[in-house]
Amino acid sequence: RGHLNDLENIVPFFGIGLLYALSGPELSTALLHFRIFAGSRILHTFAYLIPLPQPGRGLSWAVGYTVTISMAYKVLKTALYL
């Protein structure tokens, strides 16, 4: 189940992350997005492997999803201004 959850979240992140990188963000902002997402997915994986209390797994998923939405917003905002 953990692997399927990773696939459901990481594959869209790669697509949106590629478009985000091509949209010309500031380097520090892009690194922050990518590092937060990677950290949240690592924490989420550990939450599956080690039976951590439920808020930890849910919060780590929400943080990663929020980062993906933030990048998608930036991509759409950049595309609409062109």
Side-chain angles (χ1 to χ4, degrees):
R1 290 183 341 174
H3 180 68
L4 289 176
N5 189 281
D6 280 343
L7 286 176
E8 290 172 358
N9 290 283
I10 292 174
V11 171
F13 173 79
F14 279 138
I16 292 172
L18 176 64
L19 294 174
Y20 178 71
L22 294 174
S23 72
E26 283 192 36
L27 180 60
S28 61
T29 307
L31 283 173
L32 185 65
H33 276 99
F34 295 146
R35 287 176 179 168
I36 290 174
F37 183 82
S40 72
R41 292 314 303 174
I42 290 168
L43 182 63
H44 189 269
T45 300
F46 281 128
Y48 259 109
L49 296 175
I50 305 167
L52 295 178
Q54 176 50 29
R57 193 175 83 207
L59 288 175
S60 63
W61 172 84
V63 168
Y65 199 72
T66 303
V67 168
T68 304
I69 289 173
S70 172
M71 291 190 316
Y73 173 75
K74 168 73 167 116
V75 168
L76 290 175
K77 187 174 150 185
T78 303
L80 292 177
Y81 284 132
L82 292 179

